[in-house]
């Protein structure tokens, strides 16, 4: 019997992509510059974190260690032993979660309506919204308005007055205008109303924008302190940022009347710079933990799989 000849297509062909690409000198320079910029960006945060755990002797000598050799938790102990710390943390957590949800609801629904044409008075409404970016009524009318609305010593005073950010609203309006009209028209043919179109079609394909706006609003609500200081006469209702500011201010007032060396000795090695850095870490670290969960939405394509040709 004759041997069966193998087809020529079964021959192993070496792919040219298997060859290693040579890195040119300009690429090396670009990578080196980017690495240097990355180090310059990360090092201040690393230095702040390191100084918050350093000893008072190291901070007094202004010695910056790349590798920590000793740890001192006096600054964190000073903060966490504050009796109002847990209450302030829960207040800020409530304001961040509820406030962000209110921000998203008002911003996304308002932006979706304003991104559509055809209703009377749209230009007047947009002009009024843009007007608020440049002018406001002033602090005293603002305080009297909140007082008349019975929002003094009310947690919603840190949520409702800032329920919408005009700049974020304009970003959402511009994004919704870029979406294809065919998606909404096909949904209307199937019997969907505007609310169903917004929450079942428009928002799912707008997750990169929604994730970005969510992160921006969450950071704003987490860092809320001005309305707490302005409208909260009950110290148990102060947000975390206002409490940390109060602790730091009180400690600086002590330093203004007593020398730093005496304060360091009387506070079990607590240096004022250690307290500042610890306040920064406590105020920033929780919100930084959101970035890994939101980052996956930033890289997704906006219109992937939304339209089939």
């Amino acid at each position: 019997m004759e041997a069966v000849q193998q087809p020529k297509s079964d021959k192993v062909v070496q792919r040219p992509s298997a060859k290693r690409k040579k890195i040119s000198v300009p690429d090396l320079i670009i990578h080196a510059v980017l690495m240097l910029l990355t180090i310059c960006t990360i090092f201040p945060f690393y230095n702040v974190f390191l100084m918050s755990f350093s000893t008072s002797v190291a901070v007094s000598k202004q010695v910056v260690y790349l590798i920590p050799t000793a740890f001192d938790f006096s600054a964190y102990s000073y903060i966490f032993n504050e009796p109002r710390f847990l209450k302030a943390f829960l207040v800020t957590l409530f304001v961040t979660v509820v406030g962000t949800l209110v921000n998203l609801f008002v911003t996304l629904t308002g932006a979706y309506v304003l991104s559509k044409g055809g209703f009377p008075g749209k230009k007047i409404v947009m002009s009024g919204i843009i007007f608020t970016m440049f002018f406001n009524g002033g602090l005293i009318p603002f305080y009297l308005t909140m007082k008349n609305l019975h929002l003094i010593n009310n947690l919603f005073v840190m949520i409702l007055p800032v329920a919408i950010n005009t700049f974020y609203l304009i970003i959402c309006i511009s994004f919704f205008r870029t979406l294809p009209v065919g998606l909404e028209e096909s949904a209307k043919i199937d019997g969907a109303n505007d609310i169903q179109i917004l929450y079942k079609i428009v928002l799912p394909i707008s997750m990169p924008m929604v994730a970005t706006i969510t992160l921006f609003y969450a950071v704003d609500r987490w860092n809320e302190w001005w309305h707490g200081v302005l409208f909260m006469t009950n110290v148990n209702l102060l947000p975390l940022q206002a409490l940390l500011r109060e602790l730091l201010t009180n400690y600086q007032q002590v330093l203004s009347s007593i020398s730093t060396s005496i304060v360091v000795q009387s506070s079990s090695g607590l240096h004022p710079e250690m307290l500042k850095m610890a306040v920064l870490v406590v105020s920033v670290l929780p919100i930084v933990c959101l970035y890994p969960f939101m980052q996956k939405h930033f890289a997704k394509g906006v219109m992937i799989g939304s339209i089939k040709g």
Side-chain angles (χ1 to χ4, degrees), residues 84-103 155-156 158-159 217-224 236-242 282-283 286-287 289-290:
R84 294 176 292 164
F85 178 82
L86 181 58
K87 294 181 180 179
F89 179 80
L90 294 177
V91 168
T92 298
L93 186 62
F94 174 83
V95 172
T96 302
V97 175
V98 178
T100 302
L101 293 177
V102 172
N103 291 143
L155 294 181
F156 283 93
M158 293 181 283
I159 297 175
Y217 272 129
V219 172
D220 292 342
R221 299 290 73 78
W222 178 265
N223 293 327
E224 179 64 50
N236 293 323
L237 296 178
L238 285 177
L240 179 62
Q241 310 300 336
V282 172
S283 60
I287 200 66
C289 296
L290 285 178

Side-chain angles (χ1 to χ4, degrees), residues 53-295:
F53 287 101
S54 299
T55 60
S56 59
V57 177
V59 176
S60 300
K61 294 181 179 180
Q62 297 182 354
V63 178
V64 178
Y65 295 102
L66 295 178
I67 300 177
T69 57
F71 291 94
D72 188 355
F73 297 92
S74 300
Y76 292 97
S77 177
Y78 181 83
I79 294 174
F80 294 145
N81 287 334
E82 169 63 34
R84 294 176 292 164
F85 178 82
L86 181 58
K87 294 181 180 179
F89 179 80
L90 294 177
V91 168
T92 298
L93 186 62
F94 174 83
V95 172
T96 302
V97 175
V98 178
T100 302
L101 293 177
V102 172
N103 291 143
L104 291 176
F105 175 77
V106 177
T107 302
L108 294 176
T109 53
Y112 181 72
V113 173
L114 294 174
S115 64
K116 308 302 175 185
F119 67 90
K122 177 182 176 181
K123 293 184 179 179
I124 298 177
V125 174
M126 286 299 302
S127 300
I129 292 174
I130 296 175
F131 180 84
T132 60
M133 296 181 65
F134 305 100
F135 304 96
N136 59 69
L139 182 60
I140 295 178
F142 179 51
Y143 182 87
L144 294 177
T145 302
M146 296 300 103
K147 183 178 181 181
N148 293 332
L149 293 176
H150 304 287
L151 291 177
I152 304 299
N153 286 328
N154 192 324
L155 294 181
F156 283 93
V157 77
M158 293 181 283
I159 297 175
L160 298 181
V162 288
I164 191 167
N165 186 296
T166 307
F167 181 70
Y168 300 160
L169 176 67
I170 295 175
I171 292 177
C172 294
I173 293 174
S174 301
F175 183 86
F176 286 150
R177 287 176 178 173
T178 62
L179 299 179
V181 184
L183 287 175
E184 301 181 19
E185 292 179 350
S186 60
K188 289 181 179 180
I189 294 175
D190 293 335
N193 55 36
D194 291 330
I195 298 178
Q196 292 174 334
I197 293 173
L198 174 61
Y199 289 100
K200 293 185 179 180
I201 297 177
V202 175
L203 292 184
I205 65 175
S206 305
M207 285 309 298
M209 182 272 296
V210 175
T212 304
I213 298 300
T214 301
L215 186 60
F216 289 166
Y217 272 129
V219 172
D220 292 342
R221 299 290 73 78
W222 178 265
N223 293 327
E224 179 64 50
W225 69 274
W226 171 240
H227 291 88
V229 173
L230 189 62
F231 299 110
M232 295 298 180
T233 58
N234 187 354
V235 294
N236 293 323
L237 296 178
L238 285 177
L240 179 62
Q241 310 300 336
L243 178 63
L244 295 176
R245 175 180 175 272
E246 179 182 335
L247 293 178
L248 189 58
T249 303
N250 293 339
Y251 199 79
Q252 289 176 344
Q253 290 178 354
V254 173
L255 292 181
S256 63
S257 57
I258 308 175
S259 63
T260 304
S261 59
I262 298 177
V263 173
V264 170
Q265 295 175 0
S266 62
S267 302
S268 301
L270 177 60
H271 194 278
E273 291 299 322
M274 294 168 55
L275 181 60
K276 290 181 182 179
M277 301 310 170
V279 166
L280 288 175
V281 173
V282 172
S283 60
V284 171
L285 187 60
I287 200 66
V288 170
C289 296
L290 285 178
Y291 279 87
F293 300 98
M294 309 297 292
Q295 183 65 29

Side-chain angles (χ1 to χ4, degrees), residues 7-23:
K8 297 181 179 180
S9 59
D10 293 340
K11 294 181 179 179
V12 179
V13 180
Q14 294 183 354
R15 296 181 180 179
S17 59
K19 297 180 180 179
R20 180 175 296 180
K21 184 179 178 181
K22 296 182 179 180
I23 301 177

